[in-house]
Amino acid sequence: VVVAAETQSRDIQNSAMESLKQAINYLSGMNALIAKPILIKKLYQLCQSSVASVVRSSLELLLILCIKSEPLAYKYVSQAADSEKELGRNPYQLIIERMAIGDVEIQLNGLT
């Protein structure tokens, strides 16, 4: 906002405003997920998808939720992982299996 206000360049002003909109949308979306733990569980379940890009996106969002400073986010992701016990699996087993399939992008997201 400061950059946009202090410059006369339309391109810089537009870029700064677009970046601010994206940041607000990002925070709003993260808060919406945290406000509804069932959405986090569904996101976790999407890691079972046969579509690699869906798995990548789901894992990326789960990891972002875990590193977010909001303590509830990690708690809800852990609860979603614990739901695997109902299927006779270990918590986080699904994520571990998805990261082990050899998809480099998924593995890199897991390291970050």
Side-chain angles (χ1 to χ4, degrees), residues 23-64:
I24 290 169
N25 286 335
Y26 169 82
L27 291 173
S28 176
M30 296 300 284
N31 289 333
L33 279 173
I34 292 168
K36 301 218 184 274
I38 189 68
L39 295 177
I40 295 175
K41 186 173 182 177
K42 296 296 182 187
L43 183 61
Y44 189 91
Q45 291 171 349
L46 283 172
C47 293
Q48 297 178 62
S49 175
S50 60
V51 180
S53 61
V54 171
V55 174
R56 280 187 207 111
S57 296
S58 299
L59 282 173
E60 182 177 6
L61 288 170
L62 287 169
L63 292 168
I64 289 169

Side-chain angles (χ1 to χ4, degrees), residues 6 12-13 15 19 25 34 36 43 45 48 52-53 64-65 74 78 80 88 101 108 112:
E6 293 178 350
I12 292 174
Q13 287 176 338
S15 293
S19 295
N25 286 335
I34 292 168
K36 301 218 184 274
L43 183 61
Q45 291 171 349
Q48 297 178 62
S53 61
I64 289 169
L65 281 168
Y74 179 75
S78 292
I101 61 174
L108 287 174
T112 55

Side-chain angles (χ1 to χ4, degrees), residues 7 14 48 81:
T7 186
N14 285 331
Q48 297 178 62

Side-chain angles (χ1 to χ4, degrees), residues 88-100:
R89 299 161 57 105
N90 293 322
Y92 295 101
Q93 184 174 344
L94 176 61
I95 289 178
I96 292 167
E97 289 171 0
R98 288 303 187 178
M99 292 179 72

